[in-house]
């Protein structure tokens, strides 16, 4: 073989190596894993609500100072969850199909379960702890659907990170991955979160959650005081709660200094007028 | 396929700056990777139909299947709950899908001029799925490097329930490659294991017998009957076999009164993708060689019935996947094929022995899947003895690569193969960088 042959060969092998290194670097840039510290609030075979603190290189845990603990009752949580609305993405090549309907993200059972344990959890959450959840439902033999994500409160806003929604999973190791880290998306979603009043939605790169520079997650930010306030004074049919429930929520808001005495009186009068 | 097959080429001037092309391509690829938006409104048909991420059926990357995906395919593209249920055919998007693969290749084979080139090995359109309670269909149209358009497909009927059923397929279909398990279910990287994609026997121009241009990455016309029970599938195929093109895919040309047949058993070992396949293929062909003339064709001629060749291939493939803590998986995969071409008595010049041609081939491959970045590294060693009785008739291939899904619909692969072919005396390097989109 000639020297030039060797030279060309070495050059091309160098190019191949460079290719591998570049791709490897891009991918491995997502390999730093968080240290997760979990405490259980409630755990059943197919679902749980936990505290989760995330620490480690590239993680936000150390710097996070959430506005926790926060006292909100079960009815308030039920209402906030009720107002998280999702919509199935429109199918490709289905021009005649109707726009999928908006619906509450959680069914009655899931909402009740989450509301109960979020209320309990947020009263005890530390400033560095998310409150995370995992809900699974059998879809068919060999496949479960998983909802997972987490909540935190920061600067008077409740943040809801939707990591997995109705995610069908057939392999146990993916189920375990989500079980162990419910904030990590296991795949693309076929549902969109649709922001309502007092809600804003951001699609954000959170490498600390996705462990990848390439993936993004949906962060629904809710002005929960305003939402609860509106709920109390809003149209009963829309909100779907009794006047009595609303009065109870209103009283709690006042007791927790989330609304002023004047606001409390004004809204109570409005509610009483509807009787 | 056969991207690592050595080709006869006219020498050309070396194109300077090839490395620059690679680096530029990397830059473009990097930009695509980093700038890619994260939408999910366009994904392959069945993912759309079932609102499912790829990982429901694929591991570690598309197109390799996990066990659920294997069972879905075995059942004629049905989930367990869809057995004996009517299908909704109104949404075209649940059946129609497309794939495109674009490559940058560097090829440096000893004795030829090194070259780099852009390749366009695959543009595919699929229209497939379950059609009725018991029937399904698969249609695949594809273009290879824009040189030709090929269609193939099959109709499949299933009878039974998800625990056990009989499947009958009629049409033009893959024998094992792309349809099997334990390493027969398409490659993780770009190239197939050579023992599945290349001819396993070979002869020189000196008549010492002839060899069959047969390999397992062919689509043949025929019928398949299979019985699926739990994790196992026993299948029996009757096909036209090789024709005048040697591919088994030409429109006409099967003059054999005999048909080829394949018997195989596949078993899934776990829910990820571990499994094994045992197989035996028996083929018949009719050569054109006559006494005193070295054979010039290794394929059956459509106009001449004579010089019957019988040949057989048998062996196994196995893959086993081991979890490595929460970090990912380690897969070990391999296969062995024994080939035997039973030459007709007329082959061979006077004074030369006419004898059968035998080949042995095996490969071993390991793969490492890293969760999080969903990165898969693979390394493969392949060894083929193309004419076992003859000395220096081995071919060795060394392949390494890495695959990274960019999004649901996109994956990128870098692969390098070094080939050392003692039979032809040719060594070569082939590096491929591929971007593949499925939607």
């Amino acid at each position: 073989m000639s020297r030039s042959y060797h030279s060309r060969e070495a050059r091309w092998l160098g190019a191949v190596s460079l290719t591998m290194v570049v791709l490897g670097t891009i991918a491995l840039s997502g390999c730093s894993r968080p240290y997760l510290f979990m405490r259980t609030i409630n755990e059943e075979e197919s679902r749980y609500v936990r505290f989760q603190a995330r620490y480690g290189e590239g993680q936000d845990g150390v710097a996070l100072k959430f506005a926790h603990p926060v006292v909100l009752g079960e009815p308030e949580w039920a209402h906030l969850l009720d107002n998280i609305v999702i919509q199935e993405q429109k199918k490709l090549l289905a021009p005649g199909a109707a726009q999928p309907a908006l619906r509450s993200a959680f069914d009655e059972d899931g909402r009740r379960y989450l509301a109960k344990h979020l209320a309990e959890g947020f009263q005890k959450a530390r400033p560095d702890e998310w409150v995370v959840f995992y809900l699974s439902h059998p879809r068919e033999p060999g496949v479960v659907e998983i909802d997972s994500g987490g909540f935190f409160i920061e600067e008077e806003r409740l943040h809801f990170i939707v990591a997995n929604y109705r995610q069908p999973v057939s392999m146990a190791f993916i189920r375990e991955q989500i079980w162990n880290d419910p904030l990590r998306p296991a795949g693309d979603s076929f549902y969109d979160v649709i922001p309502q009043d007092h809600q804003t939605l951001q699609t954000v790169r959170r490498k600390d959650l996705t462990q990848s520079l390439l993936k993004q997650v949906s962060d629904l930010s809710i002005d929960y005081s305003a939402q609860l306030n509106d709920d109390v004074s809003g149209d009963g049919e829309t909100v779907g709660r009794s006047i009595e429930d609303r009065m109870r929520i209103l009283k709690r808001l006042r007791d927790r200094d989330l609304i002023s005495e004047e606001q409390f009186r004004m809204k109570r009068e409005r509610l009483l007028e509807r009787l | 396929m056969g991207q690592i097959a050595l080709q006869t080429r006219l020498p050309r001037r070396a194109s300077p700056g090839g490395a620059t092309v690679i680096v530029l391509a990397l830059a473009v690829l990097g930009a695509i990777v980093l700038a890619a938006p994260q939408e999910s409104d366009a994904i392959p048909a069945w993912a759309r139909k079932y609102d499912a991420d790829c990982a429901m059926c694929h591991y570690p990357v598309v197109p390799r299947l996990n066990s659920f995906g294997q069972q879905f395919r075995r059942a004629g593209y049905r989930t367990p709950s869809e057995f004996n249920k009517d299908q909704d055919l109104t949404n075209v998007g649940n059946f129609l899908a497309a794939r495109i693969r674009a490559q940058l290749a560097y090829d440096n084979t000893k004795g030829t001029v090194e070259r780099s080139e852009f390749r366009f090995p695959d543009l595919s359109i699929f229209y497939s799925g379950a059609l009725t309670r018991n029937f399904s269909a698969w249609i695949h149209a594809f273009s290879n490097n824009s040189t030709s358009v090929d269609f193939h497909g099959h109709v499949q009927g299933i009878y039974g329930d998800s625990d056990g059923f009989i499947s009958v397929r009629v049409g033009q279909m893959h024998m094992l490659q792309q349809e099997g398990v334990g390493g027969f279910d398409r490659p993780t990287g770009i190239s197939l294991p050579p023992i599945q994609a290349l001819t396993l026997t070979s002869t020189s121009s000196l008549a010492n017998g002839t060899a069959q241009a047969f390999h397992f990455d062919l689509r043949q016309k025929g019928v398949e009957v299979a019985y699926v029970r739990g994790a196992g599938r026993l299948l029996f195929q009757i096909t036209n076999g090789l024709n005048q093109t040697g591919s088994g895919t030409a429109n006409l040309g099967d003059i054999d009164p005999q048909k080829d047949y394949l018997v195989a058993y596949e078993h899934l070992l776990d829910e990820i993708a571990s499994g094994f396949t045992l197989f035996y293929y028996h083929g018949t062909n009719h050569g054109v060689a006559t006494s005193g003339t070295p054979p010039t064709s290794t394929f059956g001629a459509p106009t001449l019935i004579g010089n019957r060749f019988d040949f057989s291939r048998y062996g196994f493939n196995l893959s086993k996947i081991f979890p490595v803590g929460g970090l990912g998986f380690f897969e070990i995969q391999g296969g062995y094929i024994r080939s035997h071409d039973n030459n007709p008595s007329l082959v061979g010049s006077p004074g030369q022995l006419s004898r059968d041609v035998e080949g042995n081939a095996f490969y071993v491959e390991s793969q490492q899947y890293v969760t999080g970045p969903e990165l898969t590294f693979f390394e493969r060693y392949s060894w083929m003895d193309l004419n076992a009785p003859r000395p220096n008739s081995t071919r060795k291939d060394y392949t390494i690569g890495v695959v990274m899904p960019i999004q649901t619909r996109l994956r990128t692969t870098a692969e390098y193969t070094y080939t050392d072919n003692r039979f032809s005396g040719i060594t070569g390097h082939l590096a491929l960088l591929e971007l593949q989109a499925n939607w």
Side-chain angles (χ1 to χ4, degrees):
Chain A
M1 287 184 194
S2 67
R3 178 174 287 187
S4 64
Y5 181 83
H6 280 298
S7 161
R8 285 198 303 271
E9 194 171 296
R11 192 178 66 194
W12 280 104
L13 283 174
V16 170
S17 304
L18 180 63
T19 304
M20 306 284 276
V21 167
V22 169
L23 288 176
T25 303
I26 290 170
L28 290 172
S29 63
C31 275
S32 56
R33 291 166 186 278
Y35 297 98
L36 305 181
F37 297 90
M38 306 249 247
R39 293 191 294 141
T40 300
I41 299 167
N42 179 271
E43 183 171 317
E44 298 173 6
E45 190 178 349
S46 62
R47 60 188 183 179
Y48 67 69
V49 178
R50 292 174 178 169
F51 299 112
Q52 186 193 78
R54 305 172 72 89
Y55 292 91
E57 189 182 350
Q59 309 306 316
D60 295 338
V62 175
L64 287 179
K65 291 292 178 196
F66 299 138
H68 303 166
V70 171
V71 180
L72 287 174
E74 197 175 324
E76 289 97 322
W77 276 108
H79 173 62
L80 291 171
L81 293 171
D82 207 20
N83 277 280
I84 297 174
V85 171
I86 57 97
Q87 184 177 39
E88 189 177 356
Q89 290 168 358
K90 198 168 180 187
K91 303 269 189 183
L92 184 73
L93 296 176
Q99 185 74 20
L102 297 175
R103 60 186 169 92
S104 180
F106 301 100
D107 61 20
E108 182 59 35
D109 181 53
R111 186 165 56 240
R112 202 179 306 128
Y113 176 79
L114 284 178
K116 179 178 178 186
H117 298 295
L118 286 172
E120 180 188 348
F122 268 93
Q123 290 181 25
K124 300 173 188 169
R126 297 169 185 158
D128 62 344
E129 285 179 325
W130 297 64
V131 179
V132 297
F133 69 94
Y134 172 105
L135 306 171
S136 70
H137 323 270
R139 174 157 158 173
E140 64 175 290
V143 180
V144 296
E145 279 185 347
I146 297 174
D147 303 336
S148 77
F151 297 86
F152 64 88
I153 293 177
E154 194 176 52
E155 296 175 354
E156 299 295 318
R157 293 188 77 87
L158 171 67
H159 290 260
F160 172 43
I161 299 287
V162 194
N164 297 286
Y165 187 77
R166 295 284 186 265
Q167 186 69 255
V169 175
S170 66
M171 290 184 282
F173 87 89
I174 294 182
R175 284 197 294 276
E176 284 169 19
Q177 274 182 0
I178 304 175
W179 180 272
N180 292 330
D181 188 359
L183 289 172
R184 184 167 142 189
D188 278 359
S189 176
F190 289 77
Y191 296 86
D192 294 323
V193 178
I194 308 298
Q196 304 297 295
D197 290 344
H198 308 297
Q199 297 179 350
T200 56
L201 182 71
Q202 279 186 298
T203 304
V204 293
R205 280 189 205 287
R206 289 286 303 253
K207 180 171 162 287
D208 57 316
L209 303 182
T210 63
Q211 297 178 34
S212 167
L213 288 170
L214 310 174
K215 292 183 178 173
Q216 297 174 310
V217 292
S218 294
D219 177 357
L220 184 70
S221 166
I222 305 168
D223 184 345
Y224 66 98
S225 298
Q227 189 148 61
L228 291 170
N229 205 14
D230 264 13
D231 172 38
V232 170
S233 57
D235 181 342
E237 284 182 8
T238 305
V239 174
R241 294 189 180 281
S242 67
I243 299 289
E244 189 180 346
D245 281 346
R246 287 156 187 276
M247 294 285 274
R248 206 171 286 133
I249 292 170
L250 190 61
K251 181 172 180 301
R252 278 204 198 96
L253 290 173
R254 185 199 60 182
D255 293 347
R256 288 164 199 160
D257 292 330
L258 293 171
I259 57 173
S260 66
E261 187 65 30
E262 188 181 341
Q263 284 175 312
F264 170 73
R265 280 203 204 103
M266 187 173 67
K267 292 182 185 301
R268 186 181 63 178
E269 281 168 18
R270 268 195 224 164
L271 285 174
L272 290 173
E273 282 169 9
R274 294 185 185 169
L275 282 173
Chain B
M1 289 303 182
Q3 284 147 338
I4 55 176
L6 300 176
Q7 302 164 15
T8 304
R9 301 182 193 99
L10 293 173
R12 298 189 308 178
R13 278 183 183 277
S15 63
T20 308
V21 173
I22 292 272
V23 172
L24 282 173
L26 279 173
V28 171
L29 179 68
I32 291 170
V33 166
L34 294 174
Q38 188 73 10
E39 299 291 338
S40 56
D41 55 353
I43 48 172
W46 297 324
R48 281 190 288 273
K49 179 176 179 181
Y50 298 104
D51 288 348
D53 186 70
C54 305
M56 189 166 95
C57 289
H58 296 278
Y59 166 88
V61 290
V62 173
R64 281 192 73 194
L65 294 171
N66 62 22
S67 289
F68 186 83
Q70 289 279 2
Q71 297 287 32
F72 178 78
R73 183 170 64 184
R74 288 173 171 182
Y77 321 114
R78 283 177 183 78
T79 63
S81 63
E82 289 183 306
F83 271 74
N84 299 309
K85 289 188 178 164
D86 291 329
Q87 295 287 326
D88 176 9
L89 305 182
T90 56
N91 190 343
V92 174
N94 290 346
F95 296 86
L96 184 64
R99 181 180 66 210
I100 188 168
R101 293 164 58 204
Q103 292 176 351
L104 175 59
Y106 162 69
D107 194 343
N108 186 359
T109 300
K110 186 181 175 184
T112 64
V113 176
E114 69 169 346
R115 64 180 182 182
S116 64
E117 61 184 353
F118 293 102
R119 295 179 180 175
F120 188 38
D122 180 20
L123 190 160
S124 287
I125 305 290
F126 304 92
Y127 198 84
S128 311
L131 301 178
T132 68
R133 297 165 70 92
N134 299 99
F135 285 92
S136 55
W138 166 275
I139 297 171
H140 181 190
F142 72 98
S143 168
N144 183 344
N145 276 313
S146 305
T147 55
S148 62
V149 176
D150 193 12
F151 289 87
H152 66 97
H154 62 255
V155 176
Q156 180 177 10
I158 61 164
Y159 307 92
D161 56 36
S162 59
D163 294 329
F165 59 91
I166 291 172
S167 157
V168 178
R169 289 197 298 164
V170 181
Q172 186 172 4
M173 53 207 147
H174 274 95
M175 290 171 287
L176 280 178
Q177 180 58 42
Q178 300 195 15
E179 304 286 351
V181 299
F184 265 116
D185 177 39
R186 298 167 289 197
T188 298
I190 298 171
S191 64
L192 292 168
I195 75 167
Q196 297 169 2
L198 300 179
T199 301
L200 289 175
T201 53
S202 189
T203 61
S204 67
S205 57
L206 295 173
N208 195 24
T210 189
Q212 298 298 323
F214 172 89
H215 59 81
F216 282 95
D217 187 34
L218 297 172
R219 294 177 299 277
Q220 290 211 42
K221 292 169 185 162
V223 59
E224 174 195 88
V225 179
Y227 177 62
V228 178
R229 182 93 200 163
R233 183 168 85 116
L234 179 65
L235 65 99
F236 183 69
Q237 288 183 4
I238 301 174
T239 57
N240 285 345
L242 300 181
N243 50 36
Q244 77 274 27
T245 69
S247 72
T249 61
N251 293 329
L252 297 170
D254 183 58
I255 60 162
D256 292 5
Q258 302 85 15
K259 299 296 175 200
D260 291 8
Y261 64 86
L262 168 73
V263 183
Y265 177 73
E266 304 166 341
H267 197 90
L268 300 165
L269 295 173
D270 57 37
E271 65 168 15
I272 304 177
S274 302
F276 66 84
T277 299
L278 308 171
F279 57 90
Y280 176 82
Y281 184 94
H282 181 271
T284 305
N285 210 337
H286 294 263
V288 295
T290 56
S291 178
T293 304
T296 54
S297 168
T298 58
F299 315 129
T303 57
L304 178 65
I305 297 178
N307 296 340
R308 172 176 162 159
F309 287 58
D310 285 329
F311 63 97
S312 61
R313 304 285 184 270
Y314 51 92
F316 65 90
N317 240 81
L318 170 69
S319 73
K320 179 63 185 165
I321 297 163
F322 304 93
V324 184
L327 300 175
F329 291 89
F330 175 80
E331 176 175 355
I332 184 78
Q333 185 186 116
Y336 170 79
I337 303 179
R338 173 84 176 177
S339 65
H340 189 102
D341 298 348
N342 185 10
N343 280 321
S345 58
L346 288 176
V347 172
S349 301
Q352 290 186 311
L353 290 176
S354 167
R355 66 184 182 193
D356 298 345
V357 184
E358 294 175 342
N360 282 313
F362 74 89
Y363 81 98
V364 289
E365 180 168 341
S366 77
Q367 295 181 17
Q368 304 82 42
Y369 172 74
V370 183
T371 58
E374 299 173 17
L375 188 70
T376 306
F377 296 94
F378 58 93
E379 308 83 28
R380 181 170 65 225
Y381 170 70
S382 166
W383 182 95
M384 299 166 68
D385 191 346
L386 300 166
N387 191 342
R390 194 186 121 164
N392 296 323
S393 61
T394 59
R395 171 187 169 133
K396 298 172 186 172
D397 293 88
Y398 306 81
T399 301
I400 58 170
V402 59
V403 188
M404 186 177 72
I406 300 173
Q407 296 179 355
T408 300
R409 292 157 290 159
L410 287 172
R411 54 167 265 187
T412 183
T413 310
E415 183 179 293
Y416 165 75
T417 297
Y418 172 71
T419 299
D420 177 9
N421 191 337
R422 300 292 169 88
F423 190 85
S424 63
I426 293 174
T427 58
H429 305 270
L430 178 65
L432 297 169
L433 183 61
E434 180 182 275
L435 191 62
Q436 180 182 139
N438 298 272
W439 73 98

